[in-house]
């Protein structure tokens, strides 16, 4: 699907899906053009070559899935690959959405295979108020990136909730399922760091480097988005320590519980050993055994067992083992 937004002081904001109108719109010096390609067909993707004449390597990176963000300066336009975030199917996890941008002086091309909330919200704002497009394509890019970065904060809230839940479960109910959830959270934290750290550097370049297609006044706004990404990146780094601490706490609790079980079994074994010795002695098949025909032999043996058990338990209590 392709949507085209154009703005000029004479005509105001206009919206169309007619690809055929693009060549004339791009020739108009007074028109600012935003072309959004969402899950485009092969024919729609051809405009990247036929109309805009973008570099083949940039087009290749745009169409293919890229694992890491990037920024390439081609002089009269910039090519950016960034990643948005949305909640996953399980609480505390997230998925990334790749967003590709071609930024020129009078045009912005956005290319994405999946739905982008930040782009859709920017479209809605443009239809209500054309201020973003009237301030230039670089400012429009800032609007989209600002929304993209803001979408990470609900993901961070989910991380906090899952960490708090796992902390409680680790102490009160450690099991294999909790361990799997900790590893899943650890993978998500690593993914978050891999995505946000390079994007932080890209926003830093947009706010500081002298690009021909970015106005110095707009660079200040990119600096604000960069500050948000620094915060997100720092929080992502802290989740690494939190998940490592959760893993260590889980292993420690499981180890302590195993020690308690071994302690009980050991004490049970120590208590039963002397009783086994006593029963073994009195169970030997010899004709002449002391107390064999004594009427109080059985109660004496039972009493001896009770006394031995009490002595052993008393010794354990004195040593504070129980």
């Amino acid at each position: 699907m392709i949507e085209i937004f154009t703005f000029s002081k004479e005509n105001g904001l206009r919206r169309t899906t007619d690809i055929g109108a693009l060549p004339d719109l791009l020739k108009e010096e007074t028109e600012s053009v935003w072309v959004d390609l969402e899950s485009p067909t092969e024919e729609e993707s051809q405009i990247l070559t036929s109309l805009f004449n973008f570099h083949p390597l940039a087009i290749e990176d745009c169409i293919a899935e890229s694992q890491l963000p990037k920024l390439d300066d081609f002089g009269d336009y910039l090519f950016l690959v960034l990643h948005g975030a949305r909640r996953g199917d399980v609480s505390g996890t997230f998925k990334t959405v790749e967003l590709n941008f071609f930024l020129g002086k009078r045009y912005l091309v956005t290319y994405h295979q999946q739905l982008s909330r930040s782009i859709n919200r920017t479209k809605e704002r443009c239809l209500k108020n054309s201020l973003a497009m009237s301030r230039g394509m670089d400012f429009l890019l800032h609007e989209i990136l600002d929304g993209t970065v803001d979408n990470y904060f609900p993901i961070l809230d989910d991380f906090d909730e899952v960490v708090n839940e796992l902390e409680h479960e680790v102490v009160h109910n450690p099991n294999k399922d909790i361990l799997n959830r900790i590893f899943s959270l650890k993978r998500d934290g690593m993914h978050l760091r891999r995505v946000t750290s390079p994007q932080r550097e890209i926003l830093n370049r947009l706010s500081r480097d002298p690009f021909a297609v970015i106005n110095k006044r707009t660079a200040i706004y990119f600096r604000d988005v960069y500050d948000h990404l620094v915060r997100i990146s720092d929080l992502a780094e802290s989740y690494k320590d939190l998940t490592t601490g959760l893993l260590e706490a889980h292993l420690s609790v499981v180890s302590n519980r195993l020690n308690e079980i071994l302690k009980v079994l050991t004490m049970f074994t120590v208590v039963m050993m002397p009783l086994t010795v006593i029963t073994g002695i009195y169970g030997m098949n010899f004709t002449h055994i002391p107390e064999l025909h004594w009427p109080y032999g059985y109660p004496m043996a039972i009493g001896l067992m009770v006394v031995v058990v009490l002595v052993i338990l008393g010794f354990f209590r004195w040593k504070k083992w129980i």
Side-chain angles (χ1 to χ4, degrees), residues 52-275:
F52 292 98
N53 196 28
F54 293 136
H55 196 282
L57 292 178
I59 297 176
E60 181 182 350
D61 290 338
C62 176
I63 296 177
E65 286 288 331
S66 178
Q67 297 298 321
L68 291 175
K70 65 180 299 184
L71 169 60
D72 291 331
D73 183 8
F74 292 93
D76 55 346
Y77 67 91
L78 295 179
F79 172 61
L80 296 90
V81 179
L82 299 174
H83 292 83
R86 61 184 176 87
R87 285 187 171 98
D89 299 329
V90 181
S91 177
T93 63
F94 74 102
K95 295 181 179 179
T96 55
V97 178
E98 182 177 318
L99 303 176
N100 303 274
F101 303 91
F102 294 90
L103 174 65
K105 270 292 185 181
R106 295 191 302 104
Y107 64 82
L108 174 66
V109 179
T110 53
Y111 186 103
H112 50 105
Q113 292 292 345
Q114 303 179 53
L115 174 69
S116 170
R117 291 176 296 165
S118 58
I119 289 179
N120 284 348
R121 281 199 296 264
T122 304
K123 290 179 182 177
E124 294 172 1
R125 285 199 296 268
C126 286
L127 292 174
K128 293 178 181 178
N129 186 348
S130 59
L131 178 63
M133 290 197 66
S134 67
R135 299 180 68 175
M137 293 296 97
D138 52 354
F139 189 82
L140 179 63
L141 175 64
H142 156 265
E143 287 283 310
I144 298 174
L145 296 186
D146 188 44
T148 300
V149 171
D150 287 343
N151 288 336
Y152 276 93
F153 287 104
I155 304 298
L156 297 177
D157 292 337
D158 288 345
F159 267 89
D160 288 335
E161 292 179 6
V162 173
V163 167
N164 292 333
E165 180 184 347
L166 288 176
E167 285 177 344
H168 180 271
E169 292 294 332
V170 161
V171 175
H172 296 90
N173 186 32
N175 52 53
K176 188 176 181 180
D177 179 61
I178 298 300
L179 185 61
N180 291 334
R181 291 178 62 189
I182 292 174
F183 281 122
S184 176
L185 186 66
K186 191 177 181 68
R187 286 193 299 269
D188 288 338
M190 294 174 62
H191 186 194
L192 185 62
R193 291 200 309 278
R194 283 197 303 267
V195 170
T196 56
S197 294
Q199 289 187 164
R200 180 181 63 182
E201 298 307 316
I202 289 175
L203 265 298
N204 188 35
R205 289 185 60 190
L206 290 175
S207 64
R208 294 182 182 275
D209 292 359
F211 294 113
V213 296
I214 295 181
N215 192 294
K216 291 183 178 179
R217 290 176 295 180
T218 308
I220 300 174
Y221 293 93
F222 286 113
R223 182 70 185 180
D224 180 66
V225 181
Y226 166 76
D227 292 339
H228 291 172
L229 265 176
V230 169
R231 179 185 171 192
I232 293 171
S233 182
D234 290 342
L235 288 173
E237 188 65 29
S238 70
Y239 289 131
K240 174 185 177 182
D241 299 331
L242 287 174
T243 51
T244 301
L246 281 174
L247 181 60
E248 292 175 351
H250 181 274
L251 296 177
S252 178
V253 170
V254 171
S255 177
N256 288 338
R257 289 198 171 187
L258 179 60
N259 289 339
E260 289 295 325
I261 294 173
L262 292 176
K263 178 181 175 182
V264 172
L265 293 177
T266 301
M267 288 191 296
F268 182 78
T269 302
V270 171
V271 169
M272 293 301 296
M273 271 198 304
L275 306 186

